[in-house]
Amino acid sequence: MKRHSMKKSSFISSILKNKCPRCRKGKLFKNDNPYDLNKVLDMQDNCPVCGQRTELEIGFWYGTGYVSYVLAVMFSIFNLTWYWLIFGITWRDNSIFHWLIVNGIILTLSMPVLMRLSRTLYLTFYIGYDPEAEDRH
């Protein structure tokens, strides 16, 4: 068995870094910058490290809409919590509408990152980690 010089990435770290769920080393996206909007969802066809296919079947990525929705709702709840703790929110002074505007701006600016994260999470639901995947490629 080969010894690897690279340390195994953790589950959470590999998701946040958009790494292949099978080997946790290969990059899933061709471009590291999610804000290059013309290429935001350009993915490798196969993991460059272990060879895992990224699109498991035609139309596979349609399911990421549900994941993206859940991420956006969780992110909005997080934004509501910190906004409420720092500024307070009441109906009397319409501060809820201020939060809605702030949340809308933050969500819009973070959507490229959330879209990539939703693809990585969705692929992770179907592909399990295999510590020896790199050796078999």
Side-chain angles (χ1 to χ4, degrees):
M1 185 182 250
K2 283 194 237 178
R3 287 213 143 177
H4 298 286
S5 59
M6 291 178 57
K7 185 179 156 191
K8 179 190 88 161
S9 182
S10 75
F11 176 71
I12 304 279
S13 174
S14 67
I15 290 173
L16 293 176
K17 292 178 183 177
N18 294 309
K19 299 291 185 179
C20 170
R22 185 172 174 216
C23 68
R24 296 183 183 169
K25 294 178 184 170
K27 291 182 186 179
L28 291 176
F29 293 92
K30 293 178 181 178
N31 184 351
D32 288 337
N33 181 5
Y35 292 98
D36 184 353
L37 299 181
N38 291 327
K39 301 175 184 173
V40 67
L41 294 178
D42 286 354
M43 296 184 73
Q44 309 282 353
D45 291 330
N46 298 329
C47 172
V49 175
C50 71
Q52 173 64 49
R53 286 196 44 77
T54 55
E55 188 169 6
L56 301 183
E57 60 187 31
I58 295 172
F60 177 72
W61 298 119
Y62 288 122
T64 61
Y66 299 104
V67 178
S68 185
Y69 176 76
V70 169
L71 287 175
V73 168
M74 289 172 41
F75 196 59
S76 294
I77 291 169
F78 170 76
N79 286 337
L80 177 64
T81 303
W82 72 257
Y83 192 90
W84 177 64
L85 291 172
I86 294 172
F87 301 108
I89 293 179
T90 66
W91 288 104
R92 283 177 248 146
D93 63 358
N94 292 328
S95 58
I96 189 76
F97 297 110
H98 298 150
W99 170 77
L100 285 171
I101 292 168
V102 169
N103 188 56
I105 291 168
I106 292 172
L107 270 176
T108 301
L109 293 174
S110 64
M111 277 323 285
V113 173
L114 292 177
M115 287 168 37
R116 283 185 170 203
L117 185 59
S118 70
R119 280 195 171 202
T120 302
L121 280 169
Y122 194 65
L123 189 61
T124 302
F125 293 151
Y126 292 95
I127 305 296
Y129 174 62
D130 181 0
E132 297 173 4
E134 185 181 9
D135 295 337
R136 285 187 243 130
H137 179 62

